[in-house]
């Protein structure tokens, strides 16, 4: 499911691995020996990811199609409906969270980093900032309904407030992750815009699904807030688009000879 591409202008890895990914002892010897050691660690990291990719592919794909075989023995009146619900859950819930976990591998042209765990948390914080900004702006200034048929309380004013907060948090994280790098700030501001636009669609999709099932909340696992999906509906739909956004940007960096550390795709 996950493939990782190390690239520089010469098409090879620059050999740097983020702290905490591979435990190692300091290389002995001069600069040449340290360079060889860094390159070897990067190669082992890359090989490990390739093996994990093959393992997931070999085990995962047969298990997906085993759902069809399982219906032979369940003796249910609507086997097609069962398979659709099961596959829908994998695509709608499991896949976005799997992509979220792989986004830090992409490195966002971060000069050779192989794993950037802060990226995953930043996306979650951007989603939260979008929700808070939309709620405050909608409560104070909301006049024009955004999608009254599905969610009567959402407004265009709230949407604008969410966009501003999401872009601002993205900008701040970009400056933090790449100190003083305006381009990095703009990159993450774009990610904030993607989250804000797609996140509100995620809210609407979740509301549509609940209405079709005749439910007010997706569950009661979180007292006062509803179910798990009620808290992560925006994140679930936003993650695949953010993943694609960074993958496209990293591919552009590869074509232009930019310093891409790790690209998930």
């Amino acid at each position: 499911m996950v493939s990782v591409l190390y690239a520089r202008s010469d098409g090879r890895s620059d050999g740097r691995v983020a702290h905490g990914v591979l435990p190692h002892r300091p290389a002995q010897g001069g600069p040449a020996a340290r360079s060889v050691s860094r390159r070897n660690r990067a190669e082992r990291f890359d090989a490990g990811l390739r093996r994990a990719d093959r393992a997931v592919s070999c085990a995962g794909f047969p298990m997906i199609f085993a759902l069809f075989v399982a219906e032979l023995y369940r003796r249910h009146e609507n086997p097609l409906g069962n398979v659709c619900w099961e596959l829908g859950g994998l695509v709608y819930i499991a896949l976005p969270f799997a992509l979220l976990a792989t986004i830090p591998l992409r490195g966002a042209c971060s000069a050779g980093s192989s794993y950037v765990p802060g990226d995953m948390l930043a996306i979650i914080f951007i989603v939260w900032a979008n929700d808070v900004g939309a709620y405050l702006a909608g409560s104070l200034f909301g006049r024009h309904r955004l999608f009254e048929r599905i969610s009567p309380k959402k407004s265009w004013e709230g949407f604008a407030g969410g966009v501003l907060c999401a872009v601002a948090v993205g900008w701040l994280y970009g400056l933090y992750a790449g100190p003083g790098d305006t381009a990095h700030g703009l990159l993450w501001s774009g990610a904030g815009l993607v989250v804000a636009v797609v996140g509100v669609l995620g809210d609407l999709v979740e509301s549509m699904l609940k209405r079709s099932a005749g439910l007010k909340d997706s569950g009661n696992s979180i007292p006062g807030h509803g179910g798990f999906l009620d808290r992560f509906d925006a994140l679930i739909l936003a993650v695949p688009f953010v993943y694609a956004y960074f993958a496209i940007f990293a591919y552009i960096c590869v074509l232009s000879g930019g310093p891409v550390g790790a690209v998930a795709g």
Side-chain angles (χ1 to χ4, degrees):
M1 182 185 296
V2 181
S3 61
V4 178
L5 169 65
Y6 292 96
R8 289 185 70 192
S9 58
D10 58 359
R12 296 174 299 177
S13 169
D14 64 356
R16 284 185 285 184
V17 178
H19 175 70
V21 176
L22 289 175
H24 61 276
R25 292 171 297 187
Q28 303 295 325
R34 288 193 294 270
S35 176
V36 171
S37 177
R38 287 195 299 267
R39 184 164 57 251
N40 289 339
R41 289 197 300 271
E43 290 173 354
R44 289 198 301 271
F45 179 75
D46 190 17
L49 286 174
R50 294 176 191 272
R51 287 195 296 270
D53 188 12
R54 289 194 294 268
V56 170
S57 299
C58 292
F61 289 124
M63 291 179 64
I64 291 176
F65 287 96
L67 295 174
F68 294 88
V69 178
E71 290 303 316
L72 292 174
Y73 301 94
R74 295 182 65 180
R75 299 181 181 179
H76 196 273
E77 295 181 357
N78 186 15
L80 179 60
N82 288 341
V83 172
C84 290
W85 279 108
E86 291 162 351
L87 293 180
L90 289 174
V91 173
Y92 182 61
I93 300 174
L95 179 60
F97 282 102
L99 293 177
L100 179 64
T102 64
I103 284 178
L105 292 170
R106 160 222 37 90
C109 290
S110 54
S113 296
S114 295
Y115 193 77
V116 189
D119 289 2
M120 183 166 55
L121 293 176
I123 293 170
I124 296 175
F125 286 137
I126 291 173
V127 171
W128 288 347
N130 176 54
D131 290 342
V132 171
Y135 174 77
L136 293 177
S139 299
L140 295 174
F141 310 108
R143 295 292 184 273
H144 303 87
R145 300 300 97 184
L146 177 64
F147 212 107
E148 191 169 5
R149 178 171 61 87
I150 298 296
S151 184
K153 294 183 178 180
K154 291 189 182 299
S155 65
W156 282 104
E157 291 81 2
F159 172 71
V163 169
L164 290 176
C165 287
V167 170
V169 171
W171 168 262
L172 293 175
Y173 176 74
L175 294 181
Y176 167 79
D181 188 351
T182 303
H184 209 67
L186 291 174
L187 171 68
W188 276 92
S189 296
L193 180 62
V194 172
V195 167
V197 173
V198 182
V200 69
L201 295 176
D203 290 335
L204 293 171
V205 167
E206 177 69 14
S207 297
M208 176 187 67
L209 295 177
K210 289 187 294 186
R211 282 175 175 268
S212 66
L215 299 173
K216 182 179 183 297
D217 296 317
S218 63
N220 55 7
S221 57
I222 307 177
H225 294 273
F228 179 83
L229 292 181
D230 293 309
R231 295 300 92 203
F232 293 94
D233 48 6
L235 179 68
I236 286 173
L237 201 66
V239 164
F241 287 87
V242 175
Y243 181 92
Y245 168 79
F246 282 128
I248 293 171
F249 180 82
Y251 181 68
I252 293 174
C253 285
V254 171
L255 293 181
S256 62
V260 179
V263 181

